[in-house]
């Protein structure tokens, strides 16, 4: 859930995710312009129609997250859609300027701050893919799916080939504290394991101070592996093993 990859390796974690089991608040769809979001309010519940590009040819470090498709979750239909800066920057920047998010991601400021974090991932070799998370067609979360074994994180734990990391923030206040984060963490790690056959496990490194986030990972089938000292935080190394995915 912490932001890593691209310009700011090993940046901190996302806002609190409370894994309670109450029902999410009703979602009110709005129109979503496919290009440009400068008109959006900081927490507007917008809609986006996913672009289903044909599966590319050749090798891909993360097995094409854009082609993973939608899944049904206990909180609604969910899909990862790769970020497009011209469409999504205003919305992402608004989320980053939410104090609850900024406390862990440290990307508050003008849109250029968020752009400087996202663009190196989009322009890189594909080891980190920034995505919007759509719930029932509405963008409500930001994800980074990354190759943990090719990341600076690998210097801080016994990485295995094709380990896959995830970072997450929940953008809307209405989607926090209702078990949404837990449900989506499980769904996304299932997507990783289903679509990346060489991946032995999914890892994450939430800040130890972010107790609700750590609890959400535990509720989503991760196990606590170790405490690790990263350059900007002391983290809880969380692991969801392929071999244990149906047991936890």
């Amino acid at each position: 859930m912490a932001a890593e990859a691209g310009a700011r390796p090993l940046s901190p974690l996302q806002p609190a995710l409370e894994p309670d089991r109450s029902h999410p608040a009703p979602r009110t769809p709005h129109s979503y312009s496919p290009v440009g979001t400068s008109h959006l309010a900081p927490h507007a519940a917008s809609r986006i129609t996913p672009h289903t590009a044909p599966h590319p040819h050749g090798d891909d470090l993360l097995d094409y997250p854009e082609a993973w498709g939608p899944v049904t979750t206990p909180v609604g239909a969910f899909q990862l859609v790769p970020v497009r800066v011209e469409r999504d920057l205003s919305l992402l920047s608004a989320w980053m300027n939410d104090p609850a998010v900024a406390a862990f991601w440290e990307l508050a400021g003008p849109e250029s701050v968020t752009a400087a974090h996202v663009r190196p991932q989009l322009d890189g070799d594909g080891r980190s893919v920034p995505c919007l998370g759509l719930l029932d067609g509405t963008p409500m979360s930001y994800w980074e799916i990354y190759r943990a074994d090719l990341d600076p994180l690998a210097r801080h734990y016994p990485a295995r080939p094709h380990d896959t990391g995830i970072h997450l923030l929940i953008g809307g206040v209405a989607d926090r504290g209702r078990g949404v984060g837990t449900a989506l963490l499980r769904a996304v790690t299932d997507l990783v394991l289903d679509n990346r056959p060489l991946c032995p496990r999914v890892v994450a490194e939430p800040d130890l101070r972010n107790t609700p986030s750590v609890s959400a990972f535990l509720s989503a089938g991760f196990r606590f592996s170790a405490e690790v000292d990263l350059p900007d935080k002391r983290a809880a190394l969380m692991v969801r093993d392929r071999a244990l995915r149906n047991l936890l």
Side-chain angles (χ1 to χ4, degrees):
M1 306 204 320
E4 195 297 356
R8 287 189 352 110
L10 297 173
S11 60
L13 272 278
Q14 110 279 353
L17 296 176
E18 289 286 355
D20 71 46
R21 303 304 180 194
S22 59
H23 294 293
R27 309 184 65 80
T28 303
H30 296 267
S31 61
Y32 184 87
S33 173
V35 178
T37 58
S38 59
H39 61 285
L40 291 174
H43 299 292
S46 313
R47 290 187 66 84
I48 179 173
T49 301
H51 173 62
T52 53
H55 197 288
H57 296 290
D59 294 331
D60 183 271
L61 291 176
L62 283 163
D63 298 301
Y64 312 104
E66 70 274 15
W68 290 354
V71 293
T72 300
T73 79
V75 295
F78 180 79
Q79 185 165 5
L80 291 172
V81 176
V83 164
R84 287 168 47 195
V85 171
E86 70 277 12
R87 181 192 63 196
D88 304 323
L89 181 58
S90 292
L91 180 60
L92 292 176
S93 181
W95 289 347
M96 294 299 182
N97 279 280
D98 180 335
V101 175
F104 292 101
W105 283 72
E106 299 180 342
L107 291 173
E111 291 184 4
S112 59
V113 175
T114 299
H117 176 76
V118 173
R119 286 189 189 278
Q121 298 177 70
L122 296 173
D123 296 339
D125 61 4
R127 69 182 62 196
S128 180
V129 177
C131 296
L132 285 181
L134 309 187
L135 192 58
D136 294 329
T138 299
M140 47 68 66
S141 54
Y142 171 69
W143 300 75
E144 291 169 355
I145 313 298
Y146 70 99
R147 282 287 297 270
D149 60 323
L150 304 179
D151 187 84
L153 177 65
R155 297 197 292 263
H156 301 273
Y157 84 104
R160 299 177 185 172
H162 293 277
D163 274 358
T164 304
I166 57 173
H167 302 143
L168 162 66
L169 74 80
I170 300 296
V173 174
D175 290 313
R176 301 174 194 162
R178 297 177 179 273
V180 174
T182 292
L184 298 187
L185 279 170
R186 183 175 287 273
V188 170
T189 54
D190 281 340
L191 278 170
V192 171
L193 294 171
D194 288 342
N195 290 281
R196 301 209 65 236
L198 296 179
C199 172
R201 55 192 183 170
V202 180
V203 303
E205 10 75 42
D207 194 310
L208 277 173
R209 300 170 299 167
N210 197 339
T211 303
S213 179
V214 174
S215 297
F217 276 107
L218 291 170
S219 297
F222 285 74
R223 60 180 175 83
F224 174 81
S225 177
E227 294 185 13
V228 291
D229 286 313
L230 303 181
D232 54 3
K233 66 185 177 185
R234 187 162 180 80
L237 180 66
M238 309 299 296
V239 178
R240 188 174 182 204
D241 301 278
R242 179 181 292 279
L244 300 177
R245 65 181 293 194
N246 295 322
L247 301 177
L248 297 176

